[in-house]
Amino acid sequence: MKRSLPKMFNATSIFRFAPVVLLALGLTSCDTADNPDTVAPQLRKSIDYAKLTDTTTYANFFVDDAGAKTVDLTNGSNRLLMFRAINTYNGTAVGTGATLDANVLKNMFANTSSPFSGTLASLNTSGVQLRSVTASSLSSADAEKERQTIEAGFTAIANASKSVSATASEGKAGKLGTYLVDEKGIEQAQIIQKGLIGAFQLDYIGNILLSDKNLALDNKTVVAGKKYTQLEQNWDEIYGILTANTIYGSKATATSSGESFIGSYLWEYNKDDFPKIHKALLTGRAAIVNNDATTLKAQATFLRSAMEKAVANAALGYLGKWKTAGTNVAAAAHAMGEGLGFIYSLRYAKLNGGDATFSDGVLVNLIGASNGFWGLTNAKIDAAATAIRTQFKIAG
């Protein structure tokens, strides 16, 4: 029998009810003099793409004709720090047995009421926040709905944290192993983290900063009082949101990406593109200097495609981990929390036609039953995986 979406099962209900290929474009090398899309006059001297290497430090390489650095990573870096602060706070429930406060999380999300302290206190007056750029490619009404989805997750994890000393079971919140889950067996911390990877990082970077509209922003004049153009600053914000490292991916080892959030999952679930990300970030920034619209567009498309591929593969990967967990209920719940968060985030994979209808459809078929995680079956997992593989053209 066809199951319709429960009244509360929309974007918000992922956090309340269920807390919630691509062809990689090669890095284009071209002479701006031969490029018909090059616009003259340029603000700065042209950059030779051949001088960009995997060890080129992004923040120090780009300068104006007087030798002054034009890169400012502050806005992007501050947003990444805010994301980390939310994630760290959520971890204190299991780490210290603390009861979480949803209002603290909401204040961190919107950067209101000075929620950051200690070494992060400067974030309070940084002038940026996460809430305003979350789901920002959507209409005002739909964006607000998705922001409330994230905030519903804050309420859900705060409620679950009240039972952090209990052992979870069907219908009862508590811990499964070292993971805090709600009464439906959903690990809200993972839903929030993976949900923000999609609603903040994937959407804001891919669908806003790398959109055709924003790639065509003013690149002829320097922003008042600054050393950069608005187009340069947008690209710098992308770098700051992706990584806190001076060279993206430089700390990767056989067992770790050395990165966090979407930067980390590019390593884990898109190893083909991961080694090319830093060069693409450099090449795109150089293309802005060169007024080389063709190369800029190629790097933007590559970065968007790489992130969407990573998110889709991660969703599939965690569905598979639910299966391989076997009788280890804690491992299965943890895998499903991550998987559900990534499935929610597929609504922002717009190059591949992702939207809320697709995302919610997969979710309700997985955990639409009243007992959520506890009602999962191999058949439900297989159906979800098939839907994702079909939508994203990923071979089985």
Side-chain angles (χ1 to χ4, degrees):
M1 181 175 71
K2 182 177 180 182
R3 180 185 290 116
S4 60
L5 290 174
K7 183 177 180 180
M8 293 179 64
F9 201 97
N10 46 35
T12 301
S13 66
I14 273 197
F15 294 85
R16 291 180 180 165
F17 174 55
V20 183
V21 192
L22 316 155
L23 294 175
L25 295 178
L27 300 183
T28 305
S29 176
C30 62
D31 188 325
T32 58
D34 298 328
N35 190 334
D37 288 320
T38 298
V39 179
Q42 291 178 197
L43 182 64
R44 315 188 193 286
K45 295 176 183 176
S46 293
I47 293 174
D48 181 356
Y49 296 125
K51 292 183 178 180
L52 304 174
T53 72
D54 291 337
T55 59
T56 300
T57 302
Y58 182 98
N60 295 332
F61 182 83
F62 300 98
V63 297
D64 62 20
D65 290 352
K69 290 195 294 185
T70 61
V71 171
D72 186 346
L73 303 177
T74 305
N75 286 345
S77 297
N78 283 340
R79 293 194 206 274
L80 181 59
L81 285 172
M82 291 174 180
F83 191 178
R84 284 182 171 174
I86 288 173
N87 195 60
T88 298
Y89 180 74
N90 282 339
T92 62
V94 170
T96 67
T99 298
L100 304 181
D101 186 336
N103 288 325
V104 169
L105 287 163
K106 289 178 182 178
N107 288 336
M108 287 182 176
F109 187 43
N111 195 10
T112 55
S113 302
S114 298
F116 304 103
S117 60
T119 59
L120 297 180
S122 62
L123 293 177
N124 297 322
T125 55
S126 64
V128 299
Q129 57 170 281
L130 296 187
R131 195 181 196 281
S132 64
V133 296
T134 292
S136 51
S137 72
L138 306 180
S139 68
S140 295
D142 287 342
E144 181 58 25
K145 205 157 87 175
E146 299 298 342
R147 291 161 188 163
Q148 290 178 10
T149 292
I150 302 296
E151 291 171 333
F154 300 157
T155 299
I157 194 172
N159 288 336
S161 72
K162 297 173 184 177
S163 302
V164 70
S165 61
T167 298
S169 59
E170 185 171 343
K172 180 182 176 182
K175 284 199 298 184
L176 289 174
T178 58
Y179 308 117
L180 174 67
V181 300
D182 68 5
E183 70 279 5
K184 297 183 183 295
I186 305 300
E187 189 184 1
Q188 298 277 0
Q190 292 302 324
I191 299 295
I192 292 168
Q193 183 194 111
K194 274 55 181 184
L196 282 173
I197 283 176
F200 161 47
Q201 290 184 308
L202 180 59
D203 191 56
Y204 184 50
I205 293 175
N207 301 325
I208 295 294
L209 296 177
L210 293 178
S211 67
D212 289 343
K213 176 182 177 181
N214 279 297
L215 292 178
L217 287 177
D218 177 37
N219 195 41
K220 298 177 182 178
T221 56
V222 173
V223 174
K226 304 296 182 180
K227 299 291 187 182
Y228 50 71
T229 67
Q230 188 57 58
L231 187 56
E232 288 174 326
Q233 170 56 196
N234 280 9
W235 200 269
D236 293 345
E237 185 166 9
I238 291 168
Y239 191 96
I241 290 171
L242 274 178
T243 182
N245 292 323
T246 55
I247 298 173
Y248 174 81
S250 60
K251 296 183 179 180
T253 66
T255 57
S256 172
S257 67
E259 301 291 344
S260 60
F261 307 126
I262 187 64
S264 175
Y265 287 100
L266 279 162
W267 170 82
E268 188 172 359
Y269 285 101
N270 188 358
K271 283 189 166 58
D272 288 340
D273 292 334
F274 176 75
K276 307 171 188 175
I277 298 295
H278 186 68
K279 188 72 173 294
L281 291 165
L282 290 168
T283 303
R285 187 60 158 76
I288 292 172
V289 172
N290 295 346
N291 281 335
D292 180 355
T294 298
T295 299
L296 178 61
K297 177 64 175 177
Q299 307 321 302
T301 303
F302 168 74
L303 290 168
R304 292 184 69 184
S305 299
M307 289 190 296
E308 291 194 9
K309 182 178 179 180
V311 171
N313 281 340
L316 290 170
Y318 285 109
L319 289 174
K321 287 182 179 181
W322 178 90
K323 279 188 166 185
T324 58
T327 59
N328 187 335
V329 179
H334 181 58
M336 189 47 52
E338 298 201 66
L340 292 173
F342 278 120
I343 292 169
Y344 164 80
S345 290
L346 293 178
R347 70 190 61 219
Y348 301 105
K350 293 188 176 182
L351 287 182
N352 286 276
D355 58 20
T357 298
F358 171 76
S359 175
D360 284 344
V362 175
L363 287 164
V364 73
N365 288 332
L366 273 171
I367 39 76
S370 60
N371 56 351
F373 162 79
W374 303 102
L376 284 170
T377 63
N378 283 335
K380 289 181 179 181
I381 297 294
D382 290 343
T386 297
I388 294 168
R389 289 187 184 282
T390 301
Q391 181 71 31
F392 288 83
K393 300 178 177 62
I394 299 173

